[in-house]
Amino acid sequence: MQMSPVFASLALGLALIFGEGYALHHQSQVAQLATDFGVKVFQQVAQASKDRNVVFSPYGVASVLAMMQPTTRGETRQQIHAAMQFEIEEKGVAPALRQLYKELMGPWNKDEISIADAIFVQRDLKLVQGFMPHFFRLFQTTVKQVDFSEVERARFIINDWVKRHTKGMISDLLGEGAVDQLTRLVLVNALYFNGHWKTPFPEQSTHHRLFHKSDGSTVSVPMMAQTNKFNYTEFSTPDGHYYDILELPYHGDTLSMFIAAPYEKEVPLSALTNILDAQLISQWKGNMTCLPRLLVLPKFSLESEVDLRRPLENLGMTNMFSPSQADFSSFSDQEPLYVSQALQKVKIKVNEKGTVASSSTAITVSARMAPEEIIMDRPFLFVVRHNPTGTVLFMGQVMEP
């Protein structure tokens, strides 16, 4: 029998996809586990990207892998559980994720967040009895049927869904050849975010300045500037490197962008990305002091397309990519299935007005005087975070604006 690939696709901007209010502490715990998993995948991507710009959606990858869980069985499912540290079918997990989805989509955020996910299944594939209602109970998402034998039409249907749910920012998630007549399943998550700074940067203050790249060279880029009171803190890595963290709140006050960079230009950004997790980002937020500062920050526009196979395999999820070992029999036992591709596309644009995007390893220190100016003229990390839940929607590294 010919193997049929399951195609797992992540359209990043992101989305979480799940139900009613369970205990709030449970929601918080699940949100942290999902964020930690997404950040671990980002670390793998960043390590492979070395000195290249990266923009990534931790929330998006966690959402899609959560949707994949109930389709799998046996060791394939165990590997996903081990990497994510939560099981979607454990009591309270799916409701906690659905509540998180509601928190992120709530109008009280003011900034625009749109989250959607979908599962596209081959029309004549015989599914395990009860799978469709079970999947709907978990995710409140209906299974969409398409005919992958009409390759281009199926690709158009999925790409059009992504385009609509990312406000046109991601119009070509699946390129030519991404699906074929053996495709049986495509899992997609789409997120759109449009946030306005609480205090915009004056456009007349934007000027070209030198940005110091990691190879020692410099490049002239447009940098925004404003003097204001900012939440600021500094931390040190376990090996003693200091780094600055600054919070830029969006106008709804529930979402923020955190900017972080090593204090010394010669220290690689990887010293910071390698120790990241949800708890560390939460510590940044909890240890900040409001101080008057001049902030100079490059305008930047990034686009990433990430092949997630190697990062996911490095985190122990190997079976799902193996035609001989993958077990998707909770979804369909009509024919053997495996994941043929996992990808994520993300775009982000940061300017004077705001952002459009479709155990502790650190200790608080106060060993040096806090700088009067924060000039991000060197590689830096950014994190777009929903502060009430701790969910990281987007993050990335800017090596050259």
Side-chain angles (χ1 to χ4, degrees):
M1 179 182 291
Q2 193 168 23
M3 283 291 177
S4 307
V6 173
F7 182 89
S9 137
L10 321 180
L12 263 10
L14 6 184
L16 222 62
I17 8 158
F18 326 161
E20 276 84 83
Y22 193 63
L24 188 60
H25 74 276
H26 196 73
Q27 178 202 319
S28 172
Q29 183 183 25
V30 172
Q32 179 171 328
L33 291 172
T35 295
D36 268 339
F37 171 70
V39 171
K40 281 180 193 167
V41 181
F42 168 76
Q43 287 173 322
Q44 293 290 328
V45 172
Q47 286 166 13
S49 301
K50 302 243 184 316
D51 293 333
R52 295 196 303 274
N53 291 334
V54 177
V55 56
F56 187 77
S57 171
Y59 181 66
V61 71
S63 297
V64 174
L65 267 292
M67 280 200 295
M68 181 177 280
Q69 280 194 26
T71 69
T72 59
R73 188 172 283 167
E75 192 174 344
T76 302
R77 183 181 287 202
Q78 288 168 15
Q79 288 179 350
I80 299 174
H81 290 170
M84 299 190 79
Q85 296 291 299
F86 68 83
E87 185 173 345
I88 194 66
E89 298 189 46
E90 283 178 5
K91 184 180 178 184
V93 172
L97 285 173
R98 290 197 302 270
Q99 183 62 28
L100 176 57
Y101 169 84
K102 290 178 181 178
E103 290 281 335
L104 295 176
M105 293 279 280
W108 50 84
N109 292 305
K110 293 189 182 176
D111 298 290
E112 183 181 1
I113 302 177
S114 171
I115 298 170
D117 18 67
I119 175 170
F120 296 90
V121 175
Q122 171 61 30
R123 182 169 292 151
D124 58 3
L125 184 68
K126 185 180 178 186
L127 303 185
V128 169
Q129 188 172 3
F131 173 82
M132 288 174 70
H134 177 60
F135 190 87
F136 182 80
R137 277 196 303 275
L138 289 174
F139 301 104
Q140 308 293 292
T141 297
T142 55
V143 175
K144 304 179 194 305
Q145 295 185 316
V146 293
D147 186 357
F148 288 107
S149 68
E150 298 181 25
V151 175
E152 283 307 300
R153 176 165 171 73
R155 189 168 75 93
F156 172 81
I157 288 170
I158 296 169
N159 280 346
D160 185 63
W161 183 91
V162 172
K163 183 177 179 179
R164 282 186 287 114
H165 286 91
T166 59
K167 301 271 180 102
M169 283 190 76
I170 297 175
S171 57
D172 56 346
L173 175 71
L174 305 181
E176 283 190 31
V179 297
D180 59 28
Q181 295 190 353
L182 291 177
T183 302
R184 296 293 178 265
L185 168 70
V186 176
L187 297 164
V188 185
N189 167 258
L191 170 114
Y192 175 82
F193 170 66
N194 189 350
H196 296 273
W197 301 128
K198 187 172 184 179
T199 305
F201 290 80
E203 291 192 23
Q204 66 271 22
S205 298
T206 297
H207 300 291
H208 272 75
R209 289 177 177 241
L210 290 181
F211 184 91
H212 299 263
K213 295 165 61 177
S214 57
D215 63 4
S217 65
T218 58
V219 58
S220 178
V221 300
M223 292 205 190
M224 311 178 292
Q226 67 164 286
T227 300
N228 208 330
K229 286 190 172 181
F230 294 100
N231 278 338
Y232 167 84
T233 190
E234 59 180 29
F235 274 73
S236 84
T237 62
D239 49 5
H241 295 303
Y242 292 95
Y243 55 99
D244 298 310
I245 305 107
L246 196 92
E247 180 182 11
L248 277 172
Y250 294 99
H251 82 301
D253 276 331
T254 57
L255 288 131
S256 299
M257 177 180 281
F258 294 87
I259 305 285
Y263 176 61
E264 299 163 310
K265 289 185 176 68
E266 61 272 17
V267 174
L269 190 61
S270 58
L272 178 52
T273 55
N274 289 346
I275 61 170
L276 270 183
D277 59 19
Q279 186 180 9
L280 178 57
I281 297 168
S282 182
Q283 283 183 354
W284 294 352
K285 176 67 176 168
N287 283 280
M288 287 185 150
T289 305
C290 191
L291 299 169
R293 290 291 176 267
L294 165 66
L295 171 64
V296 179
L297 179 70
K299 293 170 67 167
F300 61 93
S301 182
L302 306 183
E303 181 174 349
S304 289
E305 179 172 345
V306 179
D307 182 343
L308 291 169
R309 176 168 181 163
R310 183 62 59 82
L312 295 178
E313 286 182 332
N314 287 348
L315 293 174
M317 289 169 281
T318 54
N319 279 26
M320 65 185 186
F321 294 104
S322 167
S324 61
Q325 294 177 299
D327 185 349
F328 285 87
S329 57
S330 285
F331 167 66
S332 174
D333 50 16
Q334 181 177 330
E335 53 189 338
L337 302 170
Y338 72 102
V339 175
S340 64
Q341 196 172 4
L343 63 94
Q344 185 185 70
K345 278 192 181 181
V346 190
K347 292 183 183 180
I348 191 166
K349 183 178 181 181
V350 174
N351 60 24
E352 290 88 351
K353 295 183 177 66
T355 303
V356 181
S358 279
S359 147
S360 174
T361 54
I363 53 171
T364 307
V365 295
S366 53
R368 64 182 174 88
M369 295 290 289
E372 298 300 312
E373 299 180 336
I374 306 290
I375 301 177
M376 288 295 170
D377 60 354
R378 57 203 185 278
F380 61 90
L381 176 82
F382 67 88
V383 176
V384 177
R385 179 180 188 259
H386 183 256
N387 292 316
T389 63
T391 303
V392 174
L393 297 179
F394 297 96
M395 66 190 307
Q397 62 183 27
V398 179
M399 309 303 286
E400 179 180 354

